[in-house]
Coordinates of all heavy atoms in Angstrom, one line a residue:
A176 N -3.0 28.6 -31.5 CA -3.1 27.6 -32.5 C -4.0 28.2 -33.6 O -5.1 28.7 -33.4 CB -3.7 26.3 -32.0
V177 N -3.5 28.1 -34.9 CA -4.3 28.5 -36.0 C -4.8 27.3 -36.7 O -4.0 26.4 -37.1 CB -3.4 29.4 -37.0 CG1 -4.2 29.8 -38.2 CG2 -2.9 30.6 -36.3
V178 N -6.1 27.1 -36.9 CA -6.6 26.0 -37.5 C -7.3 26.5 -38.8 O -8.4 27.0 -38.8 CB -7.6 25.2 -36.6 CG1 -8.1 23.9 -37.3 CG2 -7.0 24.9 -35.3
L179 N -6.7 26.2 -39.9 CA -7.2 26.6 -41.2 C -8.2 25.5 -41.7 O -7.8 24.3 -41.7 CB -6.1 26.8 -42.3 CG -5.1 27.9 -41.9 CD1 -4.1 28.1 -43.0 CD2 -5.8 29.2 -41.6
G180 N -9.4 25.8 -42.0 CA -10.4 24.8 -42.2 C -11.0 24.3 -40.9 O -11.6 23.3 -40.7
G181 N -10.9 25.2 -39.9 CA -11.4 24.9 -38.5 C -12.9 24.9 -38.3 O -13.3 24.5 -37.2
A182 N -13.7 25.2 -39.4 CA -15.1 25.0 -39.2 C -15.6 23.8 -39.9 O -16.8 23.5 -39.9 CB -15.8 26.3 -39.8
G183 N -14.7 23.0 -40.5 CA -15.1 21.7 -41.1 C -15.3 20.6 -40.1 O -15.0 20.8 -38.9
V184 N -15.7 19.5 -40.5 CA -16.1 18.4 -39.6 C -14.8 17.9 -38.8 O -14.9 17.8 -37.6 CB -16.6 17.2 -40.4 CG1 -16.8 15.9 -39.5 CG2 -17.9 17.5 -41.0
L185 N -13.7 17.7 -39.5 CA -12.5 17.3 -38.8 C -11.8 18.5 -38.2 O -11.3 18.4 -37.0 CB -11.6 16.6 -39.8 CG -12.2 15.4 -40.5 CD1 -11.1 14.6 -41.3 CD2 -12.8 14.4 -39.5
G186 N -11.7 19.6 -38.9 CA -11.0 20.8 -38.4 C -11.6 21.3 -37.1 O -10.9 21.7 -36.2
S187 N -12.9 21.3 -37.0 CA -13.6 21.8 -35.8 C -13.3 20.9 -34.6 O -13.1 21.5 -33.5 CB -15.1 21.9 -36.0 OG -15.7 20.7 -36.3
A188 N -13.2 19.6 -34.8 CA -12.9 18.7 -33.6 C -11.4 19.0 -33.2 O -11.2 19.1 -32.0 CB -13.0 17.3 -34.1
I189 N -10.5 19.2 -34.1 CA -9.1 19.5 -33.8 C -9.0 20.8 -33.1 O -8.3 20.9 -32.1 CB -8.2 19.4 -35.0 CG1 -8.2 18.0 -35.5 CG2 -6.9 20.0 -34.7 CD1 -7.5 17.8 -36.9
A190 N -9.7 21.8 -33.6 CA -9.7 23.2 -33.0 C -10.2 23.1 -31.5 O -9.6 23.7 -30.6 CB -10.6 24.1 -33.8
R191 N -11.3 22.3 -31.3 CA -11.8 22.2 -29.9 C -10.8 21.5 -29.0 O -10.5 21.9 -27.9 CB -13.1 21.5 -29.9 CG -13.7 21.2 -28.5 CD -15.1 20.7 -28.6 NE -15.3 19.6 -29.5 CZ -15.0 18.3 -29.2 NH1 -14.4 18.1 -28.0 NH2 -15.1 17.4 -30.0
G192 N -10.2 20.4 -29.6 CA -9.2 19.7 -28.8 C -8.0 20.5 -28.4 O -7.5 20.4 -27.2
L193 N -7.5 21.3 -29.3 CA -6.3 22.1 -29.0 C -6.7 23.2 -28.0 O -5.9 23.5 -27.1 CB -5.8 22.8 -30.3 CG -5.3 21.9 -31.4 CD1 -4.8 22.7 -32.6 CD2 -4.1 21.0 -30.9
G194 N -7.9 23.7 -28.1 CA -8.4 24.7 -27.1 C -8.6 24.1 -25.7 O -8.2 24.7 -24.7
E195 N -9.1 22.9 -25.7 CA -9.3 22.2 -24.4 C -7.9 21.9 -23.8 O -7.8 21.7 -22.5 CB -10.1 21.0 -24.6 CG -11.6 21.3 -24.9 CD -12.5 20.1 -25.2 OE1 -11.9 19.1 -25.5 OE2 -13.7 20.3 -25.1
A196 N -6.9 21.8 -24.6 CA -5.5 21.6 -24.1 C -4.9 22.9 -23.6 O -3.7 22.8 -23.2 CB -4.6 20.9 -25.1
G197 N -5.6 24.0 -23.8 CA -5.1 25.3 -23.2 C -4.8 26.3 -24.3 O -4.4 27.4 -23.9
A198 N -4.8 26.0 -25.5 CA -4.4 26.9 -26.6 C -5.5 28.0 -26.8 O -6.7 27.7 -26.7 CB -4.1 26.2 -27.9
R199 N -5.1 29.2 -27.2 CA -6.0 30.2 -27.8 C -6.1 29.7 -29.3 O -5.1 29.3 -29.9 CB -5.4 31.6 -27.8 CG -5.0 32.0 -26.3 CD -4.4 33.4 -26.4 NE -3.1 33.4 -27.0 CZ -1.9 33.4 -26.4 NH1 -1.9 33.4 -25.1 NH2 -0.8 33.4 -27.1
V200 N -7.3 29.9 -29.8 CA -7.6 29.3 -31.2 C -8.1 30.3 -32.1 O -9.0 31.0 -31.9 CB -8.6 28.1 -31.0 CG1 -8.8 27.5 -32.4 CG2 -8.1 27.0 -30.1
A201 N -7.4 30.3 -33.3 CA -7.9 31.1 -34.4 C -8.4 30.2 -35.5 O -7.6 29.3 -35.9 CB -6.8 32.0 -35.0
V202 N -9.7 30.3 -35.9 CA -10.2 29.4 -37.0 C -10.4 30.2 -38.2 O -11.0 31.4 -38.1 CB -11.5 28.7 -36.5 CG1 -11.2 27.7 -35.4 CG2 -12.5 29.7 -36.0
A203 N -10.1 29.7 -39.4 CA -10.2 30.5 -40.6 C -10.4 29.6 -41.8 O -9.9 28.4 -41.8 CB -8.9 31.3 -40.8
S204 N -11.2 30.0 -42.7 CA -11.4 29.4 -44.0 C -12.1 30.5 -44.9 O -12.2 31.7 -44.5 CB -12.1 28.1 -44.0 OG -13.4 28.3 -43.4
R205 N -12.7 30.1 -46.0 CA -13.3 31.1 -46.8 C -14.6 31.7 -46.2 O -14.9 32.9 -46.4 CB -13.7 30.5 -48.2 CG -12.4 30.2 -49.0 CD -12.8 29.6 -50.4 NE -11.6 29.3 -51.2 CZ -11.6 28.8 -52.4 NH1 -12.8 28.4 -52.9 NH2 -10.5 28.6 -53.1
S206 N -15.3 30.9 -45.5 CA -16.6 31.4 -44.9 C -16.4 32.0 -43.6 O -16.2 31.4 -42.6 CB -17.6 30.2 -44.8 OG -18.8 30.6 -44.2
L207 N -16.6 33.4 -43.6 CA -16.5 34.1 -42.3 C -17.6 33.7 -41.4 O -17.4 33.5 -40.2 CB -16.5 35.6 -42.6 CG -16.4 36.5 -41.4 CD1 -15.1 36.3 -40.6 CD2 -16.5 38.0 -41.8
E208 N -18.8 33.5 -41.9 CA -20.0 33.2 -41.1 C -19.7 31.9 -40.3 O -20.0 31.8 -39.1 CB -21.2 33.1 -42.0 CG -22.5 32.8 -41.2 CD -23.7 32.7 -42.1 OE1 -23.6 32.9 -43.3 OE2 -24.8 32.4 -41.6
K209 N -19.2 30.9 -41.0 CA -19.0 29.6 -40.4 C -17.9 29.7 -39.3 O -18.0 29.1 -38.2 CB -18.6 28.5 -41.4 CG -19.8 28.1 -42.3 CD -19.3 27.0 -43.2 CE -20.5 26.5 -44.1 NZ -20.0 25.4 -45.0
N210 N -16.9 30.5 -39.6 CA -15.8 30.6 -38.7 C -16.1 31.4 -37.5 O -15.7 31.1 -36.3 CB -14.5 31.2 -39.4 CG -14.0 30.2 -40.4 OD1 -13.7 29.0 -40.1 ND2 -13.8 30.7 -41.6
L211 N -16.9 32.4 -37.6 CA -17.4 33.2 -36.5 C -18.3 32.3 -35.6 O -18.2 32.4 -34.4 CB -18.2 34.4 -37.0 CG -17.4 35.5 -37.6 CD1 -18.3 36.6 -38.2 CD2 -16.3 36.1 -36.7
A212 N -19.1 31.5 -36.2 CA -20.0 30.6 -35.5 C -19.1 29.5 -34.7 O -19.4 29.2 -33.5 CB -21.0 29.9 -36.4
E213 N -18.1 29.0 -35.4 CA -17.3 28.0 -34.7 C -16.5 28.7 -33.5 O -16.4 28.1 -32.5 CB -16.2 27.5 -35.7 CG -15.3 26.4 -35.1 CD -16.0 25.2 -34.6 OE1 -17.1 24.9 -35.0 OE2 -15.4 24.6 -33.6
A214 N -16.0 29.9 -33.7 CA -15.3 30.6 -32.6 C -16.2 30.8 -31.5 O -15.9 30.7 -30.3 CB -14.7 31.9 -33.1
E215 N -17.5 31.2 -31.8 CA -18.5 31.4 -30.7 C -18.7 30.1 -29.9 O -18.8 30.1 -28.7 CB -19.8 31.9 -31.3 CG -20.8 32.3 -30.2 CD -22.1 32.9 -30.8 OE1 -22.1 33.1 -32.1 OE2 -23.0 33.2 -30.1
A216 N -18.8 29.0 -30.6 CA -19.0 27.7 -30.0 C -17.8 27.4 -29.1 O -18.0 26.9 -28.0 CB -19.2 26.6 -31.0

Side-chain angles (χ1 to χ4, degrees):
V177 177
V178 184
L179 303 181
V184 172
L185 304 186
S187 61
I189 291 172
R191 177 170 52 79
L193 297 179
E195 289 175 341
R199 302 178 296 258
V200 181
V202 291
S204 61
R205 289 181 179 176
S206 173
L207 179 59
E208 182 179 358
K209 288 183 179 180
N210 292 307
L211 290 175
E213 179 61 27
E215 184 177 358

